[in-house]
Amino acid sequence: RTEYRERPPLPCIASHVECVWSHGASTRPARVLPDTCIDLVFSPQAGLQIVGSMTRALMVEAPNDWFVGLRLRAGAARPLIQMPPEDLRDGVISAREAWGKRGRVVEEQLRNASSSELAMRTLESSLPLSQPLLPMQNAIAYLAANGGRVCLDAVIRSTGLGARQFRRRCLRETGLSPRHLARIGRFRRASSRIVQNKHVDWAQLALESGYYDQPHLINEFREFSGLTPNAYLGELTSATVSSKTSFAA
């Protein structure tokens, strides 16, 4: 199996960054799953790219070299990627195009990295200093992490905003509506449970993940992954499945 590893980010950026990760070369294509996040991804082939929030799975060709990434928390990406997340939904843009000179400088530093670990450190140090997260951004992160298990109206009330204001801000910060963000967060949690436990009680998984019932789980799994949960479980034994970790191959 292709080596994938991730670690926590440096403490100084942990409020905005979920993890940094690396992925080795592979001989197999990968199914890339939505995960509510925006990633910075570097590979020697494609350079440094910004990968937007995804609403559907993608199949990508097998990477023939290592690559690394930095996963930004839902709601925290906008000041760091320095472009509107709503313009990047289901899309990719090169850092050279998005950041100009700064993008070219960071990409050159990454190309000079002698190992994936050094490249991961370079990605971490490339982020501009950012302000502490606002209550609105914390609410978005909480919704993404707990979609299906929390009341959306209660999350909105906690920000002091109206429903329409919250929806506009959520779209602005993530590229996704609040309900879409919560649904993808719930799907991410369910798919992670399948990865962790290959012997799955589907009805129990649906209940614990926040779905109404097993058919609800199956329908949303098809929408976001292109597979039924059982087919996804079968694919895990024969192919690499990840969030955005293969997109820049």
Side-chain angles (χ1 to χ4, degrees):
R1 183 173 293 274
T2 301
E3 179 185 1
Y4 169 78
R5 65 186 182 94
E6 62 181 49
R7 62 167 174 78
L10 295 173
C12 60
I13 58 173
S15 61
H16 290 68
V17 178
E18 184 175 296
C19 68
V20 287
W21 52 263
S22 65
H23 201 300
S26 174
T27 59
R28 295 175 174 176
R31 184 180 303 273
V32 185
L33 303 180
D35 62 4
T36 76
C37 300
I38 291 174
D39 283 49
L40 302 181
V41 183
F42 171 78
S43 73
Q45 281 184 302
L48 180 60
Q49 297 179 311
I50 308 171
V51 183
S53 300
M54 294 169 52
T55 63
R56 60 186 183 273
L58 293 174
M59 292 298 297
V60 298
E61 296 180 0
N64 57 17
D65 205 345
W66 60 265
F67 53 105
V68 298
L70 182 149
R71 187 166 300 132
L72 299 168
R73 297 187 187 278
R78 188 182 183 95
L80 300 179
I81 64 172
Q82 299 177 334
M83 64 177 298
E86 62 266 39
D87 292 348
L88 200 55
R89 183 176 59 240
D90 288 319
V92 180
I93 188 172
S94 73
R96 297 186 304 276
E97 181 179 348
W99 299 342
K101 180 179 179 181
R102 174 174 164 248
R104 293 191 295 272
V105 170
V106 174
E107 184 174 293
E108 186 62 26
Q109 291 171 342
L110 288 162
R111 291 192 182 281
N112 290 332
S114 57
S115 67
S116 59
E117 177 57 38
L118 184 56
M120 291 162 71
R121 294 176 188 171
T122 301
L123 265 182
E124 289 177 293
S125 64
S126 73
L127 293 181
L129 294 177
S130 57
Q131 299 296 318
L133 292 176
L134 300 172
M136 173 66 192
Q137 293 171 305
N138 283 319
I140 289 172
Y142 181 76
L143 182 62
N146 295 280
R149 298 188 297 188
V150 295
C151 173
L152 176 57
D153 289 341
V155 174
I156 293 174
R157 285 196 299 271
S158 73
T159 67
L161 299 175
R164 290 184 178 179
Q165 288 177 302
F166 186 86
R167 187 179 190 277
R168 285 196 296 269
R169 289 292 302 276
C170 191
L171 281 167
R172 182 175 184 270
E173 299 295 340
T174 70
L176 302 169
S177 72
R179 293 191 185 282
H180 210 163
L181 181 74
R183 289 174 61 218
I184 293 174
R186 176 173 58 191
F187 162 77
R188 184 188 189 189
R189 189 166 60 250
S191 61
S192 296
R193 290 283 301 279
I194 296 173
V195 172
Q196 295 163 7
N197 181 13
K198 302 302 191 298
H199 304 287
V200 184
D201 180 327
W202 298 115
Q204 185 68 22
L205 175 66
L207 179 65
E208 293 178 352
S209 299
Y211 292 97
Y212 298 125
D213 51 27
Q214 190 172 336
H216 186 203
L217 166 69
I218 292 171
N219 288 337
E220 292 227 330
F221 226 91
R222 279 200 185 104
E223 177 180 346
F224 293 130
S225 74
L227 299 170
T228 65
N230 198 49
Y232 173 76
L233 177 60
E235 189 174 87
L236 285 172
T237 64
S238 60
T240 300
V241 183
S242 64
S243 53
K244 295 193 197 71
T245 56
S246 301
F247 203 97

